[in-house]
Amino acid sequence: DINKCNWLKKDNNDILVIDMMLRIFRFALIFWAACSLFGCKDYCRSGIVENKYKPRLLKLATYSDPILRTKTKPVIFPLNEEDKNIIADMQYSIQPAQLKAANAPWEAAVGMAANQWGIDKSIFLYCPTGDTVNGLEVIINPSYTMLNDTDSNSQDTEWEGCFSVPLATGNIKRSLKIKVKYQDEQGTTVEKELHGWPARVWQHENDHLNGFLYDDHFAGKCLEKKTFNSIAEVDEFYDEIRNSRKN
């Protein structure tokens, strides 16, 4: 009768709905298993798999490479995919394990400029504490001005090493206080003052982007340069300096 037919139709509709739900559930399980197998575990909220970029290991430019003595090109905002990938490569390559893998002169850094890796971009990594995990900043289109430059106490000298000048160190005169200006990865302009060691690290890296190394004569910053036959000799020299200051 009519009532029986209506119930049959209702039962068939319920079966179709349940069947569809089971199909979706099975598909979700297969999708999850496939992504887990191939390492695609990051999802956006819409359920689309993110295609994450895998950073590559960068190799350092040699001392004679012209890019180290060429002013780098400014970065345009918003960042394009190429620039984002370059930053990811830099953040990856400055880590101690990667510096070692790249046969860098040292296995720890407090900063590194893009052109030290042969990249013509006004970007440098900045971590004056030496913490390349939690203390690493991306500095884009930077500049700095020296503060109180006429004051005799506004500058000091310190021995500096450089990944682009291996087996050497220089006694470098730099300003103790500077005002810096740069953009972060979002394009926000930041201005602040730096003093002491952070100011010295900034000047060293910013000078790279301006196209010169600490030992370039025209820069007039290197008061004395020492060269060595091995990294062990360099380390021994720095140990002697540290011990003399303790005494």
Side-chain angles (χ1 to χ4, degrees):
D1 56 36
I2 294 175
N3 290 334
K4 186 175 181 179
C5 288
N6 287 339
W7 277 110
L8 287 172
K9 288 180 180 179
K10 183 179 179 182
D11 288 345
N12 287 337
N13 288 338
D14 289 344
I15 291 171
L16 289 174
V17 170
I18 293 170
D19 182 64
M20 184 177 295
M21 291 177 65
L22 288 172
R23 287 173 181 269
I24 293 172
F25 181 70
R26 283 198 297 269
F27 175 79
L29 284 177
I30 294 170
F31 183 74
W32 176 263
C35 286
S36 297
L37 179 63
F38 294 104
C40 306
K41 296 182 180 179
D42 296 316
Y43 303 88
C44 65
R45 291 186 182 275
S46 62
I48 301 173
V49 178
E50 293 180 354
N51 183 20
K52 281 205 166 186
Y53 174 74
K54 184 178 180 181
R56 62 193 178 95
L57 179 63
L58 301 173
K59 296 297 181 69
L60 292 165
T62 60
Y63 181 77
S64 59
D65 194 319
I67 197 168
L68 294 174
R69 291 170 179 83
T70 304
K71 186 176 175 62
T72 54
K73 295 176 182 176
V75 176
I76 306 300
F77 284 89
L79 297 178
N80 57 32
E81 285 303 309
E82 178 188 4
D83 290 334
K84 291 178 182 177
N85 292 346
I86 285 173
I87 290 171
D89 292 340
M90 292 173 64
Q91 291 172 318
Y92 174 74
S93 298
I94 200 175
Q95 302 306 319
Q98 308 313 323
L99 290 173
K100 183 177 181 180
N103 296 317
W106 294 278
E107 295 177 16
V110 293
M112 195 80 76
N115 57 340
Q116 289 184 270
W117 280 304
I119 300 167
D120 188 8
K121 297 280 185 179
S122 291
I123 307 170
F124 72 74
L125 301 182
Y126 179 69
C127 50
T129 63
D131 184 352
T132 55
V133 177
N134 301 309
L136 191 64
E137 293 183 70
V138 177
I139 308 299
I140 303 173
N141 299 330
S143 62
Y144 71 90
T145 54
M146 294 176 284
L147 300 177
N148 301 323
D149 194 38
T150 57
D151 185 350
S152 60
N153 295 321
S154 67
Q155 293 185 330
D156 74 344
T157 61
E158 184 61 85
W159 291 96
E160 294 182 15
C162 181
F163 282 81
S164 300
V165 191
L167 297 180
T169 184
N171 196 17
I172 313 302
K173 179 175 67 176
R174 295 196 188 276
S175 179
L176 283 168
K177 297 190 293 183
I178 60 173
K179 183 175 182 180
V180 305
K181 182 178 180 181
Y182 67 99
Q183 290 172 282
D184 62 19
E185 291 177 86
Q186 287 69 48
T188 303
T189 299
V190 180
E191 294 185 52
K192 59 184 178 182
E193 290 187 13
L194 296 175
H195 301 169
W197 175 249
R200 175 171 289 275
V201 174
W202 184 285
Q203 291 169 80
H204 182 111
E205 301 306 332
N206 210 148
D207 287 352
H208 274 300
L209 300 184
N210 287 329
F212 60 88
L213 303 175
Y214 73 70
D215 64 340
D216 286 333
H217 294 297
F218 70 85
K221 298 185 178 185
C222 186
L223 304 181
E224 182 183 2
K225 181 181 177 182
K226 291 182 179 292
T227 57
F228 305 90
N229 295 315
S230 67
I231 293 296
E233 287 186 11
V234 180
D235 292 339
E236 184 179 348
F237 174 77
Y238 281 118
D239 287 340
E240 288 176 1
I241 293 176
R242 281 189 287 267
N243 291 333
S244 66
R245 290 175 180 175
K246 289 179 182 178
N247 299 330

